[in-house]
Amino acid sequence: SPAPSPAPVIAPTPPPTTGSPTVSPAPTISIPEVVGIVANQDTTVYLDGSFIGEAYGSDDTFLVQNGPKAFEEIPVAVGLLTFPLDTVPSNDRLTNTKKNSILRLTHEVTTAERGSATYTIVRLPETIMEVEYFHGYFFKPPEDDEEGVTVGPSFTVNPEDTVLDIDITSLMFDTNPEDKQLFLMIQDRGPEQPEGGDRFFTRESDFPPQLLVDLQGGNAADLVFDDIPSNGGGGDDGNPAGSNSTASEPEGKAAPTAVPAVRRGLRD
C-alpha cells in the first residue's frame, strides 16, 4: 500500500511588532496680536464699619476709599477684581515680544464736592475662591512682602474723570508668571477721605473693568474692546492686523456698547 502523506507543517505566526507609538506634536497656536478681557469677578470689601460683614459682588459699582477712623459711617473699602488669563499666551512664549497691558476702569462721576484722590493697584496670588462673596471678616489685605503679592502703579482720579487707562504691564508680565488669573486689589494708601472715596463701574454695568493687552508693539490704550473679535485664537502669521486676536467676557455679560467721552491714559 502507498506510504501515508506527511502532515502539513504550519509555520507559527510571527509575534506583532512592538514599538513606541508615533506621537504627533500639539498644534502651535500663533500668538494673538491683541487680547481683550472683561473682569469675571469684582466687588467692594469694607474693612471696618457697619458694612464689614456684607458681600457686594452683585453691585454695579465698587468703592475704593480711606474713611476716617473717627467716622464709622465712612469706612475703609478696597476694590477686588479678577480676570481669567486663558487667552493670554504664557510668558515663555512672549520673551521676545513687545507687549504692554492696561486696566481700563470707568469712574462714576458724582456731584459731591471733593478733591482728587490717588489709589494703588496691588496684584495678589490667584485664587479659586468666589471673590464676589468676600467680606471684611474674611478678607484682609495682605502685607506687601507676602509671597505672590506685588505693589503696582498708583493712579490719580479727578472728580470729573470718566474712563481711566492704567498701565499695568509690570504687574501683568513680571509677576506671578504661572498664574492663570490676574487678581487685583485697588486701595487708597493716602490721606483719609472725610468726603468719601470713588466708585468704579463693575461687570454688572454697561461699562465693566477691562484688561487690554497688545502683543504686537502697539499701545494697549488705543484698543477698543468692541473691535477685538471674540472668536480669537490663532490664525496664520500672514493674517491682516486685528484678525489674530481674541476678546472674552463673562457669560451673560455684554461688552460695553458705549463709553463716556473723557479718557485719560495713566502710565507706569
Side-chain angles (χ1 to χ4, degrees), residues 179-192:
D179 285 7
K180 299 301 182 185
Q181 176 195 68
L182 181 66
F183 185 9
L184 301 177
M185 174 179 67
I186 304 178
Q187 62 181 163
D188 184 349
R189 297 188 169 198
E192 293 181 342

Side-chain angles (χ1 to χ4, degrees), residues 37-48:
I37 306 170
V38 169
N40 63 347
Q41 298 183 100
D42 45 31
T43 191
T44 303
V45 175
Y46 291 94
L47 303 178
D48 57 19

Side-chain angles (χ1 to χ4, degrees), residues 32-34 97-99 214-218 223 241-242:
E33 295 173 350
V34 293
T97 302
K98 294 181 180 180
K99 50 192 178 290
D214 189 293
L215 300 173
Q216 60 180 344
L223 301 177

Side-chain angles (χ1 to χ4, degrees), residues 5-206:
S5 300
V9 178
I10 301 176
T13 302
T17 302
T18 59
S20 301
T22 301
V23 179
S24 299
T28 300
I29 299 176
S30 58
I31 295 174
E33 295 173 350
V34 293
V35 177
I37 306 170
V38 169
N40 63 347
Q41 298 183 100
D42 45 31
T43 191
T44 303
V45 175
Y46 291 94
L47 303 178
D48 57 19
S50 57
F51 306 119
I52 189 171
E54 302 295 327
Y56 292 91
S58 61
D59 285 3
D60 63 2
T61 61
F62 68 85
L63 172 67
V64 183
Q65 73 180 12
N66 185 16
K69 295 180 180 178
F71 299 101
E72 184 175 319
E73 65 272 18
I74 307 177
V76 176
V78 299
L80 300 179
L81 309 90
T82 68
F83 295 88
L85 299 180
D86 310 78
T87 54
V88 179
S90 59
N91 271 4
D92 58 347
R93 297 187 61 204
L94 299 175
T95 304
N96 299 317
T97 302
K98 294 181 180 180
K99 50 192 178 290
N100 65 96
S101 177
I102 65 152
L103 171 66
R104 178 166 293 164
L105 299 175
T106 303
H107 175 234
E108 182 184 54
V109 178
T110 70
T111 57
E113 292 290 335
R114 59 169 176 257
S116 302
T118 299
Y119 302 114
T120 300
I121 302 176
V122 181
R123 183 168 184 176
L124 307 181
E126 65 180 346
T127 180
I128 61 172
M129 291 184 284
E130 296 288 340
V131 171
E132 291 188 336
Y133 291 100
F134 282 11
H135 53 73
Y137 288 127
F138 175 78
F139 176 83
K140 300 296 181 185
E143 298 295 328
D144 291 352
D145 58 357
E146 289 187 27
E147 184 176 359
V149 175
T150 304
V151 179
S154 295
F155 62 100
T156 300
V157 179
N158 301 311
E160 70 277 8
D161 286 341
T162 52
V163 179
L164 301 171
D165 286 344
I166 306 120
D167 190 323
I168 59 168
T169 301
S170 60
L171 286 183
M172 179 74 181
F173 296 108
D174 299 338
T175 63
N176 304 1
E178 303 301 322
D179 285 7
K180 299 301 182 185
Q181 176 195 68
L182 181 66
F183 185 9
L184 301 177
M185 174 179 67
I186 304 178
Q187 62 181 163
D188 184 349
R189 297 188 169 198
E192 293 181 342
Q193 295 173 290
E195 300 88 7
D198 287 279
R199 287 189 172 274
F200 305 88
F201 288 101
T202 70
R203 70 189 188 102
E204 278 73 19
S205 74
D206 290 332

